Amino acid sequence: MTNRLPFLLLIAFFLVSCASVKQDEIFREISIWPNGKIYLGKEFQQRNEIAIQIAPYSYKLIENTFGGAESITVFTDSINIVESIRFDYPTDYDYDKEVKNYKLIFSEKLQYLSFSRDTLDFISWKDEKTIFEITRKKGNQNKIHSILTNSR
């Protein structure tokens, strides 16, 4: 056991170091259950199994395929390539906490825009391929959504 202690300490140090490294790129995929992931800029392969078409090139994921959001809508182009993914959150979603978490995750190298008005809060990060935005419309029931967009 004593021989393993330095090794275990090294692993623990490595994991803590990795956790503190900020991302220079925005995530480009979401995990769904039970069919893997949906990727920006790639074909929406699981469309028929997990989504309902709500408009041309717009698909709402069926319930129980994702967590965290109240609903997820996938937008494709005419050849079924994912252009953007919209996440609508429940009214008890903690906007300020999530923005704080993303600020901790994303590197300062990413382009960043933020503003707040009486009726709207908006924050956006951008890298070479992706834009990620979170918006809160203020009112009796805050309406919060985020959008992950392919910017290529």
Side-chain angles (χ1 to χ4, degrees), residues 29-85:
E29 76 276 337
I30 64 167
S31 294
I32 52 169
W33 187 88
N35 298 315
K37 295 185 177 195
I38 298 173
Y39 298 91
L40 282 179
K42 298 201 177 192
E43 184 179 0
F44 185 20
Q45 297 176 347
Q46 313 93 321
R47 183 181 72 192
N48 295 329
E49 295 99 40
I50 61 162
I52 299 166
Q53 187 168 6
I54 56 173
Y57 316 120
S58 302
Y59 304 88
K60 186 173 182 175
L61 298 187
I62 58 173
E63 292 183 24
N64 302 320
T65 59
F66 54 86
E70 197 169 67
S71 68
I72 298 177
T73 307
V74 177
F75 301 92
T76 66
D77 63 11
S78 61
I79 57 170
N80 199 37
I81 302 299
V82 177
E83 290 295 316
S84 63
I85 305 168

Side-chain angles (χ1 to χ4, degrees), residues 24-27 110-111 125-131 151:
D24 289 338
E25 294 181 347
I26 299 168
F27 51 92
L110 298 175
Q111 291 182 28
W125 290 269
K126 183 179 190 288
D127 65 22
E128 290 181 8
K129 300 184 242 177
T130 313
I131 300 169
S151 63

Side-chain angles (χ1 to χ4, degrees), residues 79-104:
I79 57 170
N80 199 37
I81 302 299
V82 177
E83 290 295 316
S84 63
I85 305 168
R86 177 186 167 117
F87 308 84
D88 290 295
Y89 299 102
T91 55
D92 63 347
Y93 183 79
D94 191 336
Y95 174 87
D96 296 318
K97 180 181 175 186
E98 288 305 311
V99 166
K100 183 179 177 181
N101 288 339
Y102 284 116
K103 284 180 179 178
L104 292 172

